[in-house]
Amino acid sequence: MTMHQSWGYGVIEGFFGKPWTWQARLDYANFLKKNGYQFYIYAPKADPYLRIRWQDCWPETTYVELKRLGERYRQAGIAWGIGINLYEIFFNYDQQTIQQLTAKIRYLNQLQPDILAILFDDMRGDCDRIAQIQAEITHRITELSTAKTFIMCPTYYSSSRILDQLFGERPDDYLETLGKLIDPQLHVFWTGPEICSNSYPLEHLREVSQKLGRKPFIWDNYPVNDSANMCNYLHLGAFENRPFQMADWISGHAVNPMNQAYLSQIPLRTLHLSYQQQQDYDPQQAMQEAATSLCGPTLANRLMDHLSLLQEQGLEQMEPTQKAALLAQYQPMNTEFSQEIVGWLQGDYPFSTDCLTM
C-alpha cells in the first residue's frame, strides 16, 4: 500500500448515465499525461459488473477492452484504477457474499490495477454497525487485492444532509468510527461541504481530516452533469474556488467529469492551469486558453460566445429557434467536441433515474 504522499490530481469516471466510449477512454491517457494528471479510475455507474451485478464477471468483449485500457495507461505513465461499488453489500454480508467478494477481487487482480477504489456511495446506509462492516469489507479487499493504492468512499461522503434524506440517517460518529477502524494508509474520498461543492474551505477540510484521522481525498463533482437537473447544462467553465494551496490540505484530487468526454477536457485543462499558475491563475483566461489549445480558435471562440447559453440557460430553457441555430453552427464542424454538443442538443444524454442526488 502506498503511504500518504499526495496523489496530485486525476480523473474518476464515476458518473451515472451514458458512459464514455472505449475510444474516448483510450484518448484520455495522452490528454491526462499532457496536463499533469496522475491517474484515471474506471468506475462508471452504468457498468453493472461494478455495481448492481458486482458479483458477476464482465462479458469477454468488455474484459478485453479493459485489459487494453490498462495497458494504454501504463504506457503513458498514468496510474490506472478500477472502482467497485459494492451495492448494499452490508444488508446481506454472509459467507456466500464473502466468497463472491473474494472471487471478484482475484478476478480484478488479473487486470493489474494500480489503484482500487472501494465504493459505498449512493446506496442505503441505515444499517446497524455500518461503519464497522464497511471497515471489515475494506480490509478484506485490501488483503486480497494486488493494487498498490486503495481509496474508500463512505456512504456519507459529504456534510450535505441530502444524503441522510435519500439514504437514511447517518450514524453518530460515522466518520470518526471509520477513521479509527480503517488502516491509516488507506485514502478516503470526500466531496466536500456539499455533494457538488462550489469551494473547499480550509476550515472544513481540517475538520474532516480530524474526524477521519487523515487528509481527505477529494472527489470533486465538477464538471459532472449526470443528474436530472444538471444534464440540461454543459459545464465548460473553468475551475474556480479550488486554491492551489488545497494540495497541502488533501491527499489527492479526483475529478468526476461530464458524460461528454471530450468537452470535459476544457474544464479539466483549467484545473491543471490553476495548480500550475497558482496565484496568477485567471479562470476566464484559463478557459479561453484551454478551449483554444484543445479545439482550435474557431470552435473555441464559438464556445466562449455561447457559454452562458450552454452552461447557465441550459437545454430546457432553450427556444427551438436557439437550438436550431446552435445545431446549424456545430453540425458542420466535424470534431469530437462539436459532435458532443450536437448530441447533447439532440437529447443523446438523458439522465439515469438511478441518479438520485442533485
Side-chain angles (χ1 to χ4, degrees):
M1 259 186 290
T2 302
M3 291 298 285
H4 261 154
Q5 94 272 6
S6 172
W7 253 101
Y9 45 103
V11 163
I12 181 161
E13 186 186 338
F15 47 77
F16 287 94
K18 188 176 183 175
W20 288 357
T21 63
W22 290 110
Q23 188 56 52
R25 292 175 183 132
L26 290 167
D27 289 348
Y28 254 72
N30 285 339
F31 168 77
L32 296 179
K33 185 70 179 170
K34 275 185 195 160
N35 288 281
Y37 282 78
Q38 289 173 283
F39 61 88
Y40 161 83
I41 300 171
Y42 172 83
K45 295 285 200 291
D47 185 336
Y49 304 97
L50 285 178
R51 188 166 157 79
I52 306 293
R53 294 177 57 190
W54 65 262
Q55 303 90 333
D56 298 332
C57 295
W58 283 289
E60 188 59 26
T61 49
T62 308
Y63 191 74
V64 167
E65 292 286 8
L66 284 164
K67 268 194 104 59
R68 190 165 153 231
L69 201 58
E71 282 157 16
R72 175 68 65 91
Y73 280 95
R74 274 189 286 276
Q75 284 164 5
I78 299 288
W80 129 261
I82 295 172
I84 184 164
N85 185 290
L86 296 162
Y87 191 70
E88 297 185 355
I89 186 175
F90 18 88
F91 291 100
N92 193 23
Y93 190 55
D94 56 16
Q95 209 49 47
Q96 186 191 355
T97 304
I98 289 168
Q99 283 170 359
Q100 290 171 327
L101 183 60
T102 302
K104 184 70 172 210
I105 300 306
R106 287 182 177 147
Y107 172 68
L108 293 182
N109 286 345
Q110 294 169 36
L111 291 168
Q112 300 175 282
D114 304 298
I115 301 168
L116 187 63
I118 303 158
L119 309 175
F120 298 109
D121 58 321
D122 298 328
M123 63 178 83
R124 276 173 57 206
D126 49 349
C127 162
D128 286 345
R129 299 181 62 255
I130 186 173
Q132 288 85 344
I133 297 169
Q134 288 179 348
E136 189 191 321
I137 293 167
T138 299
H139 285 148
R140 186 177 293 279
I141 290 172
T142 58
E143 282 165 20
L144 291 164
S145 173
T146 53
K148 300 180 198 76
T149 299
F150 298 94
I151 318 172
M152 182 263 198
C153 184
T155 302
Y156 300 97
Y157 50 78
S158 160
S159 306
S160 170
R161 302 307 293 178
I162 292 169
L163 294 176
D164 305 72
Q165 291 161 25
L166 289 171
F167 304 120
E169 282 292 317
R170 73 189 75 195
D172 294 337
D173 302 330
Y174 172 69
L175 288 185
E176 291 88 340
T177 308
L178 269 182
K180 285 194 191 88
L181 293 175
I182 286 182
D183 187 317
Q185 292 183 19
L186 261 75
H187 299 277
V188 179
F189 274 133
W190 185 252
T191 69
E194 303 298 332
I195 295 165
C196 298
S197 295
N198 293 320
S199 64
Y200 292 91
L202 173 55
E203 206 37 62
H204 170 79
L205 294 173
R206 276 193 185 136
E207 188 189 321
V208 175
S209 298
Q210 215 169 359
K211 287 180 177 178
L212 288 172
R214 73 207 73 205
K215 292 176 182 177
F217 199 116
I218 294 302
W219 175 311
D220 194 335
N221 276 322
Y222 183 82
V224 74
N225 64 343
D226 59 351
S227 70
N229 173 43
M230 289 196 301
C231 69
N232 290 303
Y233 305 94
L234 292 176
H235 295 152
L236 303 172
F239 273 82
E240 297 190 53
N241 304 318
R242 274 83 172 153
F244 66 90
Q245 295 94 331
M246 260 178 75
D248 299 327
W249 314 335
I250 59 181
S251 70
H253 190 166
V255 175
N256 192 16
M258 295 188 284
N259 296 79
Q260 295 79 15
Y262 294 97
L263 289 171
S264 293
Q265 292 181 0
I266 298 169
L268 290 177
R269 177 155 170 78
T270 71
L271 183 67
H272 166 62
L273 295 172
S274 157
Y275 276 123
Q276 202 181 43
Q277 296 169 355
Q278 303 195 346
Q279 59 271 23
D280 297 327
Y281 176 70
D282 176 303
Q284 185 72 9
Q285 275 178 9
M287 194 208 152
Q288 180 76 62
E289 190 280 348
T292 305
S293 65
L294 289 162
C295 311
T298 308
L299 180 51
N301 290 335
R302 202 159 284 181
L303 287 172
M304 296 302 284
D305 289 345
H306 298 146
L307 186 60
S308 65
L309 200 56
L310 303 171
Q311 175 142 340
E312 288 159 33
Q313 186 176 328
L315 210 49
E316 277 192 352
Q317 305 300 318
M318 230 179 259
E319 298 291 334
T321 49
Q322 286 178 310
K323 214 179 277 188
L326 288 174
L327 280 168
Q329 289 189 59
Y330 288 105
Q331 260 167 337
M333 304 178 79
N334 203 14
T335 72
E336 283 103 348
F337 300 92
S338 58
Q339 290 314 299
E340 284 184 342
I341 293 176
V342 169
W344 176 75
L345 288 165
Q346 292 177 333
D348 290 351
Y349 297 92
F351 91 98
S352 162
T353 51
D354 292 333
C355 181
L356 302 170
T357 54
M358 306 306 283

